[in-house]
């Protein structure tokens, strides 16, 4: 774990965090209805945007987890994927660098979360942030450096 503070001589790269929520409802006849919502966090400092996105995702999860209308994947499977309502939440770091937009899926897809968190940490190191970093093992047992703050949220 270490602190990093670097100053760029160029203008900071535009960035934002996007929380994407998808709701899927299937009735007894397998008719599907879906709804999607996006929450964009593009105001303030980089770390502030990140905290706001995580807070919003946690708030939505807490709300859905206490709503008895939502089924877990196991419950949906037990119902034969009929008569259920489910949700998924994704968080993206979106970087606009010299007109090119890059998005990194930092929450919601377990297969790429480590890679995206590593890219996020590298981006933070290059910006004006003071951030604590830590090393973790990725899915291939390689050591990578990621942002320490809220790490529990991404890896549970």
């Amino acid at each position: 774990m270490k602190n990093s503070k670097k100053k760029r001589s160029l203008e900071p790269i535009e960035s934002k965090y996007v929380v994407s929520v998808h709701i899927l409802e299937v009735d007894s006849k397998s008719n599907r209805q879906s709804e999607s919502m996006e929450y964009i966090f593009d105001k303030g400092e980089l770390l502030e945007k990140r905290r706001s996105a995580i807070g919003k995702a946690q708030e939505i999860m807490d709300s859905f987890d206490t709503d008895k209308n939502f089924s877990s994947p196991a419950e949906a499977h037990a119902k034969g994927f009929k008569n259920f309502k489910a949700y998924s939440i994704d968080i993206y770091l979106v970087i606009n660098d010299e007109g090119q937009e890059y998005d990194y899926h930092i929450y919601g897809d377990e297969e790429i979360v480590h890679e995206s968190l590593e890219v996020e940490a590298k981006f933070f190191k290059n910006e004006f942030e003071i951030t604590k970093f830590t090393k973790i093992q990725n899915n291939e047992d390689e050591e990578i450096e990621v942002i320490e703050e809220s790490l529990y949220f991404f890896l549970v």
Side-chain angles (χ1 to χ4, degrees):
M1 159 176 45
K2 60 184 175 181
N3 284 335
S4 174
K5 181 177 181 177
K6 300 213 177 180
K7 293 186 180 180
R8 292 171 45 98
S9 58
L10 305 173
E11 288 295 311
I13 296 172
E14 290 180 40
S15 65
K16 63 185 172 188
Y17 281 86
V18 178
V19 176
S20 183
V21 181
H22 308 283
I23 300 171
L24 175 64
E25 190 167 2
V26 180
D27 66 18
S28 60
K29 297 178 182 174
S30 296
N31 295 317
R32 297 171 180 254
Q33 184 176 349
S34 64
E35 179 183 357
S36 294
M37 298 168 277
E38 270 192 357
Y39 301 90
I40 298 172
F41 300 91
D42 58 358
K43 303 286 186 245
E45 296 295 322
L46 187 57
L47 192 56
E48 189 179 318
K49 292 184 256 190
R50 183 181 196 266
R51 288 175 178 152
S52 296
I54 293 169
K56 185 60 159 180
Q58 188 65 60
E59 173 191 320
I60 294 166
M61 278 190 281
D62 291 346
S63 167
F64 288 167
D65 287 347
T66 58
D67 186 336
K68 299 294 181 197
N69 293 319
F70 285 95
S71 303
S72 70
E75 291 168 330
H77 185 269
K79 294 178 179 182
F81 295 102
K82 293 182 181 179
N83 284 327
F84 78 93
K85 187 174 181 181
Y87 72 92
S88 67
I89 298 177
D90 301 294
I91 301 177
Y92 298 90
L93 167 61
V94 181
I95 299 169
N96 188 334
D97 187 13
E98 297 180 9
Q100 290 285 86
E101 192 167 275
Y102 305 94
D103 63 318
Y104 300 96
H105 197 171
I106 64 168
Y107 181 81
D109 185 340
E110 292 178 18
E111 291 184 22
I112 61 172
V113 70
H114 289 101
E115 177 184 339
S116 295
L117 288 173
E118 182 179 29
V119 169
E120 180 192 39
K122 288 177 183 175
F123 180 65
F124 266 70
K125 280 186 171 186
N126 291 328
E127 291 300 306
F128 295 95
E129 297 291 329
I130 298 175
T131 307
K132 288 185 177 179
F133 297 92
T134 189
K135 294 187 188 267
I136 63 170
Q137 299 293 114
N138 67 11
N139 292 335
E140 289 82 37
D141 279 337
E142 298 168 335
E143 192 172 83
I144 60 170
E145 191 170 42
V146 298
I147 297 170
E148 181 179 332
E149 184 175 309
S150 302
L151 188 58
Y152 65 93
F153 175 83
F154 294 102
L155 300 181
V156 290

